[in-house]
Amino acid sequence: MKSKHLLVLLAVLAAVIVAVGCSSLTQAPQLIVSNVSPFWVTSDSLDVTITLKNMNHIDAIVTTSQFTYRGAYGSDQSPVYNHSAYVPGNSDSTKIKVSVVGLTSIRTTLGSPVTLWMKFWGTDAYGYNKTFAIDSLAINCN
């Protein structure tokens, strides 16, 4: 009976060691923006399509974003938005669509021209909490 408990304990210990080992070996995802459309807008609202490329083939989930508007009179940040966009490790062209409204008011408040900076964050899709950030991208909102 003792040997059976010992075998179960050893199996659980081995599973924990494997899980911890895989977690420490897995890198954080590395995503880059390969295309932004449109990158120039003059209307009040904007639908942006952002194409992401996975550089190190680690499945990723884009979880949050924040926009910063910079104009002639200063800058203003938006709240943090939640996303749930899965980016497979073998992806060269995963698209995220983002809608922005109220640009006329922002131009009036911050002074035209306004540049919209978008930044995205996320985590790996394996549950190891390996986080990443996607460098800011700029859209001219004149």
Side-chain angles (χ1 to χ4, degrees), residues 25-137:
L25 293 176
T26 302
Q27 300 175 0
Q30 295 174 359
L31 306 179
I32 63 168
V33 175
S34 61
N35 190 30
V36 178
S37 177
F39 59 89
W40 187 280
V41 66
T42 57
S43 62
D44 183 56
S45 62
L46 165 68
D47 288 327
V48 183
T49 301
I50 301 158
T51 305
L52 301 174
K53 181 176 182 179
N54 195 318
M55 298 303 290
N56 66 347
H57 306 292
I58 305 293
D59 293 352
I61 301 171
V62 176
T63 58
T64 53
S65 66
Q66 187 169 36
F67 307 156
T68 302
Y69 301 93
R70 293 192 179 122
Y73 308 141
S75 66
D76 188 24
Q77 283 191 332
S78 70
V80 173
Y81 299 105
N82 293 321
H83 301 278
S84 184
Y86 174 71
V87 182
N90 61 355
S91 174
D92 283 343
S93 62
T94 298
K95 294 182 183 346
I96 296 176
K97 295 190 185 239
V98 177
S99 295
V100 181
V101 296
L103 292 173
T104 302
S105 174
I106 291 169
R107 286 185 201 101
T108 302
T109 304
L110 297 178
S112 191
V114 170
T115 302
L116 166 58
W117 292 87
M118 295 181 171
K119 185 163 184 152
F120 295 88
W121 294 271
T123 185
D124 67 285
Y126 308 127
Y128 297 140
N129 294 322
K130 302 287 183 159
T131 59
F132 64 92
I134 301 172
D135 289 338
S136 296
L137 57 106

